[in-house]
Amino acid sequence: MTHALDELDIRILNQLQDDATLPVAEVAERVASSKSVVWRRVQGFVDSGVIERRVAVLNPKKVGFSVMVFAMVKMSRHSSNALPKFIEAVKAIPQVLECHTTLGQVDFVLKIATTSIEEYRELVWTRLSQLEVQEISSLISFEQTVNTTRLPLHATAG
């Protein structure tokens, strides 16, 4: 379900996308609204799931994760329990930052952060290859040229 956003919603959410630690009073000042209105709207965003969580975004390289891999996984079978079993298994692998179920040539695309190629190799051999996969193709990122968590918000008809 899509949440209809008005212009004030967008201004508030854009402020929070830039810095989720801003006090409500600061957000209210920046969006030219009252603290109570901003507080109610932010609470509504949290209650409705528009704001899923507030986190610190870390620089992977500065905390030792120098290898970013995109693994394309093709499953060996598509039984009713094989795909959910795979999803649950990759949720338990801390190096897996994202798991996307896809249509097309592969079944899943994983974004994986590791400290080394050797760590990634170990992860493939001891964890991923044990999950009824037919094939794993890996792309190793050597430079990240765009990195944002900011969604390009626009007012939606409501």
Side-chain angles (χ1 to χ4, degrees), residues 2-7 9-10 152-158:
T2 303
H3 188 88
L5 302 174
D6 64 23
E7 287 300 322
D9 290 336
I10 291 169
L153 299 178
H154 303 289
T156 56

Short mmCIF file of all heavy atoms in Angstrom, two decimals, residues 2-7 9-10 152-158:
data_model
loop_
_atom_site.label_atom_id
_atom_site.label_comp_id
_atom_site.label_asym_id
_atom_site.label_seq_id
_atom_site.Cartn_x
_atom_site.Cartn_y
_atom_site.Cartn_z
N THR A 2 0.59 2.18 -0.85
CA THR A 2 1.35 3.41 -0.96
C THR A 2 0.75 4.47 -0.06
O THR A 2 -0.47 4.64 0.00
CB THR A 2 1.34 3.90 -2.42
OG1 THR A 2 1.87 2.88 -3.25
CG2 THR A 2 2.18 5.14 -2.59
N HIS A 3 1.61 5.18 0.61
CA HIS A 3 1.17 6.28 1.48
C HIS A 3 1.16 7.56 0.65
O HIS A 3 2.16 7.92 0.06
CB HIS A 3 2.15 6.40 2.66
CG HIS A 3 1.72 7.36 3.71
ND1 HIS A 3 0.92 6.96 4.76
CD2 HIS A 3 1.95 8.68 3.89
CE1 HIS A 3 0.70 8.01 5.54
NE2 HIS A 3 1.31 9.06 5.04
N ALA A 4 0.01 8.24 0.58
CA ALA A 4 -0.08 9.50 -0.17
C ALA A 4 0.66 10.58 0.61
O ALA A 4 0.41 10.80 1.79
CB ALA A 4 -1.54 9.89 -0.36
N LEU A 5 1.59 11.25 -0.05
CA LEU A 5 2.41 12.27 0.59
C LEU A 5 2.04 13.65 0.05
O LEU A 5 1.92 13.84 -1.15
CB LEU A 5 3.89 12.02 0.30
CG LEU A 5 4.46 10.67 0.73
CD1 LEU A 5 5.89 10.52 0.26
CD2 LEU A 5 4.35 10.50 2.24
N ASP A 6 1.88 14.61 0.97
CA ASP A 6 1.70 15.99 0.52
C ASP A 6 3.06 16.70 0.60
O ASP A 6 4.07 16.11 0.99
CB ASP A 6 0.60 16.70 1.32
CG ASP A 6 0.92 16.87 2.80
OD1 ASP A 6 2.12 16.85 3.19
OD2 ASP A 6 -0.03 17.04 3.59
N GLU A 7 3.07 17.96 0.23
CA GLU A 7 4.35 18.71 0.18
C GLU A 7 5.03 18.80 1.54
O GLU A 7 6.26 18.69 1.64
CB GLU A 7 4.14 20.11 -0.41
CG GLU A 7 3.88 20.10 -1.91
CD GLU A 7 5.01 19.50 -2.73
OE1 GLU A 7 6.20 19.71 -2.40
OE2 GLU A 7 4.71 18.78 -3.69
N ASP A 9 4.74 16.62 4.04
CA ASP A 9 5.27 15.29 4.29
C ASP A 9 6.63 15.12 3.62
O ASP A 9 7.59 14.63 4.22
CB ASP A 9 4.34 14.20 3.75
CG ASP A 9 3.04 14.06 4.52
OD1 ASP A 9 3.00 14.44 5.71
OD2 ASP A 9 2.07 13.55 3.93
N ILE A 10 6.71 15.52 2.36
CA ILE A 10 7.94 15.37 1.59
C ILE A 10 9.07 16.19 2.20
O ILE A 10 10.19 15.71 2.35
CB ILE A 10 7.71 15.74 0.11
CG1 ILE A 10 6.81 14.68 -0.54
CG2 ILE A 10 9.04 15.87 -0.64
CD1 ILE A 10 6.30 15.06 -1.91
N PRO A 152 13.76 9.45 -3.96
CA PRO A 152 13.37 10.70 -4.64
C PRO A 152 11.87 10.94 -4.47
O PRO A 152 11.07 10.62 -5.34
CB PRO A 152 13.75 10.44 -6.09
CG PRO A 152 13.62 8.95 -6.24
CD PRO A 152 14.01 8.37 -4.92
N LEU A 153 11.49 11.49 -3.34
CA LEU A 153 10.07 11.65 -3.01
C LEU A 153 9.40 12.71 -3.86
O LEU A 153 9.95 13.76 -4.13
CB LEU A 153 9.93 12.03 -1.53
CG LEU A 153 10.47 10.99 -0.55
CD1 LEU A 153 10.31 11.52 0.88
CD2 LEU A 153 9.77 9.66 -0.71
N HIS A 154 8.17 12.40 -4.22
CA HIS A 154 7.30 13.34 -4.96
C HIS A 154 5.92 13.22 -4.35
O HIS A 154 5.54 12.19 -3.83
CB HIS A 154 7.23 12.97 -6.45
CG HIS A 154 8.56 12.93 -7.12
ND1 HIS A 154 9.30 14.05 -7.37
CD2 HIS A 154 9.30 11.89 -7.54
CE1 HIS A 154 10.44 13.71 -7.96
NE2 HIS A 154 10.47 12.40 -8.06
N ALA A 155 5.17 14.28 -4.44
CA ALA A 155 3.79 14.25 -3.95
C ALA A 155 3.00 13.22 -4.74
O ALA A 155 3.13 13.13 -5.96
CB ALA A 155 3.14 15.62 -4.06
N THR A 156 2.21 12.41 -4.04
CA THR A 156 1.38 11.42 -4.70
C THR A 156 -0.08 11.82 -4.57
O THR A 156 -0.47 12.42 -3.56
CB THR A 156 1.60 10.02 -4.08
OG1 THR A 156 1.34 10.10 -2.68
CG2 THR A 156 3.00 9.51 -4.32
N ALA A 157 -0.85 11.49 -5.57
CA ALA A 157 -2.27 11.81 -5.52
C ALA A 157 -2.91 11.03 -4.38
O ALA A 157 -2.65 9.86 -4.21
CB ALA A 157 -2.93 11.46 -6.85
N GLY A 158 -3.67 11.69 -3.60
CA GLY A 158 -4.19 11.02 -2.44
C GLY A 158 -5.64 11.02 -2.34
O GLY A 158 -6.28 10.51 -1.55
#
